[in-house]
Amino acid sequence: MGKKILSAVLILISISILIACNESEIGVFYGLAKEEKVKNYALPDHCTSESIVKTGGYLYVAASSVYKKMAEGGELDWHKIKSPDGYHNVTEMGIANDTLFILAYDSDEAKPYLFSGTGDGTWEKKDTSTIEKTISRMRVANDVIFITDRDGHLYYSNDSGSSFTQDTSLEDSKLFSTSTGNFDLVYGGGSYYLNAQYKLYRGNPGGWTEFTPTHDGKIWKDKEDVFLRLYYDEGDDRLYTGDNSGYIYAVDSPSGASGTSWVKSDSHARSGMGLQGLVVVRVPTSSGSTRKLLLAGSGVNSGRGYFIVDNPRTSERKYLDPEPPRNRDYTTVLSDFYDYNAFDLSKAAINYFFIDEYADGTNFDLYAMTYGYGVWKNTNKGGYERGWNQE
Amino acid sequence: MKNINKKLFLLLILFVFISGFLFAASDDDEDDDIDTYVESYSLGDQMFFINGGVFIPLFFFDKSGEVMDTNLTLGGNGSLCWQVFLSNHVSLGAELGGMFALSPNKRVLYMIPLMVKATYWFRFYPFEVPISLGLGGNLSILEEAAHIDFIAKPSIGFYWNFNEEWAFGANATYWFVPQMYSGSGKVPESNSMFGNFMDVSLSVLFRF
């Protein structure tokens, strides 16, 4: 009888141990080998940010305050720099002519104002009196500062914020009807590209033409879908954007006359998953490296997704086949991101990717900006499904 | 990497030194007066060990042979071992152990090996030098991640016999833990790693 009881106990213990083995998606020893010590205690772990820029050998992040650290793996870690006196909640940031530009709210958080600075904590408030309505959003591209107001009007400054001109060249002089519309703007290949929520434009400040993806002469998206982030890949001279139904749109040589041949992927996400993080990364291979598009998506009811797509230059419509993870639920993939300190990137919605290219031309760090889960860095050049550490 | 090479080098020196010592000692045994020889142990004599000491992480390597740091601190380990003598020089038994060490972010790695252990005893009264090999299973736990792997633990000890029942000594033990993933589960095959560790422990031995 005693032997039987002992056997039963041993079997139960064995079963419980085997069950416990299935709760992780990363190897025990592998996780230890890849773990990096958290050195930074300044950048909040639960901050929200989509603004990260690099200038003068430093990286800057706008996450309510402005945080700064040495770029390219330098020793000086994140530290907070002083906000403009009487202002806080820095929401957006950009660089023009090697100068930082931020939007910071006044003390009652009623309105954001534009400031410029050199990253040492001294700020100059810019005169934005020509912008009649309350400022809403800001993007800086090719040293031109673009600002929208709460009514969706677009303004630009090409003199480092000394003066702003309203851009009336848009179809109805507005990007969108409210201040909450999606707005993004990038520069590449000699042209600017602008996301006005339901439409895309290309051109120059004061001279925009509609650039919404078309196919067989028709707008190539569902009426209700909105465009999210824009990404210009200089290496392939290709413009990418994603929508809130998980579709990717891409066009080669977007600034040229022939740059209207858009391709559209199959949906890379379940319904309602918007694609916000877009970046082309180098993935090492046995023969060197290959360039792949890294995507991150999120939705209110559709979880989180993260995936790499292969062969971004193929012109076939279905060229964007998901690579990893094959046969896996997109919502589970983010848990592959390595996490510690109880913070799990699988819970985070990534809204922006940023690459810090090293001067050596080969190394780079990849940063993921999130809603509410801080800033994450990936130094694992071999694969982007792992090797993430919270900054 | 330098640290790993240094550890390996020291380990190698340790084994070479001890092996030489033992072979020399074995030769001396042959010169002993066989008329005065009395067997110390016989079939059925049993021993119980309690061991505790320092756990020393060495290195990992993957299937391609790439060596990586374990990123672990020095840790602690302990074990309970029971053995029965099959002959005067050979004993066989089981060992249940445990260790802990910290990751760079203070996460705790636990490993719990359960092994069958065979030992050959060299004797230089009042000292004894056991050389053992333990084979079995090892449960590794790191927060929510856990895995059961094969483990091999060769070890060497040095004991002083206080009396017929009690002996005190120390052991140096190598831990080899191949942690293999098939890729059929959530963890990809590329996460397979070979763990290499050692421990140095003090030991109390009771014979009965």
Side-chain angles (χ1 to χ4, degrees):
Chain A
M1 181 63 75
K3 285 184 178 177
K4 287 183 178 177
I5 294 172
L6 182 61
S7 300
V9 169
L10 289 173
I11 288 170
L12 285 174
I13 291 172
S14 302
I15 290 172
S16 64
I17 288 171
L18 287 171
I19 290 171
C21 292
N22 293 327
E23 292 183 356
S24 175
E25 298 189 359
I26 188 166
V28 177
F29 293 168
Y30 184 91
L32 285 167
K34 297 295 180 186
E35 184 168 331
E36 292 181 7
K37 183 172 175 58
V38 177
K39 293 180 287 186
N40 157 65
Y41 297 100
L43 190 63
D45 292 327
H46 287 291
C47 67
T48 292
S49 177
E50 61 178 49
S51 289
I52 177 170
V53 296
K54 179 181 180 180
T55 184
Y58 288 90
L59 294 173
Y60 297 86
V61 161
S64 190
S65 295
V66 177
Y67 298 85
K68 173 182 181 180
K69 80 165 191 175
M70 287 181 75
E72 301 180 18
E75 288 186 1
L76 185 60
D77 210 347
W78 292 110
H79 57 283
K80 189 176 178 177
I81 63 176
K82 188 173 174 290
S83 296
D85 288 336
Y87 296 84
H88 61 116
N89 194 17
V90 178
T91 56
E92 308 222 18
M93 181 168 55
I95 295 176
N97 300 311
D98 300 324
T99 301
L100 280 175
F101 288 86
I102 60 171
L103 292 182
Y105 280 75
D106 58 6
S107 56
D108 61 5
E109 295 203 10
K111 294 179 179 178
Y113 292 87
L114 180 66
F115 294 85
S116 66
T118 54
D120 59 359
T122 57
W123 299 98
E124 176 191 350
K125 189 176 180 181
K126 308 304 290 187
D127 178 12
T128 56
S129 57
T130 56
I131 303 174
E132 296 177 3
K133 304 285 187 177
T134 301
I135 289 174
S136 175
R137 308 292 302 277
M138 178 182 73
R139 287 284 187 272
V140 183
N142 193 35
D143 294 331
V144 180
I145 304 167
F146 296 87
I147 281 179
T148 66
D149 68 16
R150 67 181 182 187
D151 287 347
H153 296 108
L154 180 67
Y155 295 81
Y156 64 90
S157 168
N158 48 24
D159 56 4
S160 294
S162 298
S163 63
F164 280 86
T165 304
Q166 184 174 357
D167 197 322
T168 57
S169 65
L170 296 168
E171 190 175 341
D172 55 1
S173 298
K174 284 186 176 182
L175 293 166
F176 24 74
S177 57
T178 68
S179 61
T180 56
N182 293 315
F183 167 60
D184 200 12
L185 195 151
V186 297
Y187 175 84
S191 186
Y192 297 81
Y193 309 97
L194 190 158
N195 168 18
Q197 180 137 324
Y198 294 104
K199 295 178 180 178
L200 301 185
Y201 293 89
R202 72 174 175 183
N204 294 290
W208 299 101
T209 55
E210 188 173 346
F211 197 45
T212 307
T214 56
H215 182 63
D216 292 337
K218 298 177 181 176
I219 298 295
W220 204 0
K221 77 172 179 63
D222 293 337
K223 188 177 180 181
E224 299 303 318
D225 287 341
V226 297
F227 296 112
L228 299 171
R229 300 300 295 247
L230 291 166
Y231 176 73
Y232 175 75
D233 175 31
E234 189 174 356
D236 282 343
D237 187 21
R238 173 174 274 227
L239 182 72
Y240 293 96
T241 188
D243 68 19
N244 61 339
S245 286
Y247 291 95
I248 296 295
Y249 305 81
V251 59
D252 283 329
S253 303
S255 63
S258 60
T260 55
S261 300
W262 288 90
V263 291
K264 179 182 179 181
S265 73
D266 284 345
S267 177
H268 282 284
R270 60 186 64 188
S271 177
M273 179 179 280
L275 296 173
Q276 298 221 59
L278 302 167
V279 69
V280 172
V281 293
R282 295 191 298 270
V283 179
T285 65
S286 57
S287 58
S289 67
T290 184
R291 308 180 83 243
K292 294 187 178 183
L293 183 64
L294 178 65
L295 306 171
S298 64
V300 175
N301 299 315
S302 53
R304 317 291 182 223
Y306 157 90
F307 34 102
I308 291 176
V309 294
D310 205 357
N311 197 8
R313 288 200 66 85
T314 306
S315 59
E316 294 175 11
R317 184 183 171 200
K318 294 183 180 178
Y319 71 105
L320 294 171
D321 292 327
E323 200 174 57
R326 295 187 193 279
N327 305 319
R328 299 176 68 176
D329 186 343
Y330 288 147
T331 59
T332 68
V333 179
L334 259 175
S335 60
D336 281 351
F337 283 138
Y338 184 52
D339 84 285
Y340 51 81
N341 277 356
F343 295 109
D344 186 349
L345 196 51
S346 66
K347 298 169 186 167
I350 296 172
N351 56 51
Y352 188 61
F353 285 121
F354 176 83
I355 291 179
D356 177 16
E357 289 274 0
Y358 285 33
D360 61 17
T362 57
N363 292 307
F364 62 91
D365 295 329
L366 176 64
Y367 290 86
M369 319 297 286
T370 73
Y371 291 107
Y373 282 86
V375 179
W376 295 67
K377 184 174 82 170
N378 185 308
T379 55
N380 177 10
K381 313 300 189 294
Y384 299 96
E385 64 270 32
R386 289 186 175 75
W388 289 92
N389 284 298
Q390 192 175 37
E391 286 284 280
Chain B
M1 189 67 78
K2 276 185 175 178
N3 285 336
I4 292 171
N5 288 335
K6 192 175 178 183
K7 285 175 186 171
L8 271 177
F9 180 73
L10 290 174
L11 198 65
L12 191 64
I13 293 292
L14 182 69
F15 272 103
V16 168
F17 174 77
I18 292 172
S19 301
F21 172 72
L22 289 175
F23 279 114
S26 297
D27 292 342
D28 290 345
D29 279 349
E30 293 172 4
D31 298 332
D32 287 350
D33 184 352
I34 198 163
D35 292 337
T36 62
Y37 180 78
V38 176
E39 283 200 347
S40 305
Y41 306 102
S42 58
L43 179 66
D45 288 344
Q46 298 180 61
M47 293 173 292
F48 188 77
F49 302 74
I50 298 177
N51 308 311
V54 179
F55 181 83
I56 306 167
L58 298 176
F59 58 92
F60 296 134
F61 62 88
D62 63 15
K63 284 182 173 177
S64 69
E66 184 184 355
V67 177
M68 284 169 261
D69 201 329
T70 65
N71 283 325
L72 290 167
T73 62
L74 286 178
N77 78 285
S79 63
L80 300 174
C81 178
W82 166 84
Q83 288 194 328
V84 58
F85 275 98
L86 304 180
S87 69
N88 186 37
H89 285 283
V90 178
S91 59
L92 186 68
E95 182 178 286
L96 175 65
M99 60 68 61
F100 71 92
L102 303 179
S103 80
N105 295 296
K106 308 302 180 194
R107 299 194 302 161
V108 185
L109 170 71
Y110 299 100
M111 288 197 287
I112 304 170
L114 177 60
M115 304 181 303
V116 172
K117 187 173 182 179
T119 304
Y120 189 89
W121 295 83
F122 295 94
R123 298 211 169 79
F124 319 96
Y125 184 81
F127 303 108
E128 292 182 297
V129 176
I131 291 185
S132 304
L133 177 63
L135 300 174
N138 177 60
L139 173 63
S140 304
I141 303 171
L142 184 70
E143 294 187 334
E144 80 280 11
H147 203 250
I148 296 175
D149 311 292
F150 170 77
I151 186 171
K153 286 174 65 175
S155 70
I156 187 167
F158 188 84
Y159 284 84
W160 168 64
N161 286 300
F162 174 70
N163 59 29
E164 289 183 350
E165 292 182 328
W166 293 94
F168 304 95
N171 293 291
T173 306
Y174 196 90
W175 298 44
F176 179 66
V177 186
Q179 187 168 85
M180 311 307 291
Y181 294 95
S182 65
S184 59
K186 292 181 177 178
V187 181
E189 186 182 4
S190 59
N191 277 204
S192 298
M193 304 280 276
F194 297 86
N196 295 267
F197 318 94
M198 71 173 294
D199 74 62
V200 177
S201 60
L202 298 177
S203 179
V204 177
L205 187 165
F206 178 71
R207 302 182 186 92
F208 57 100

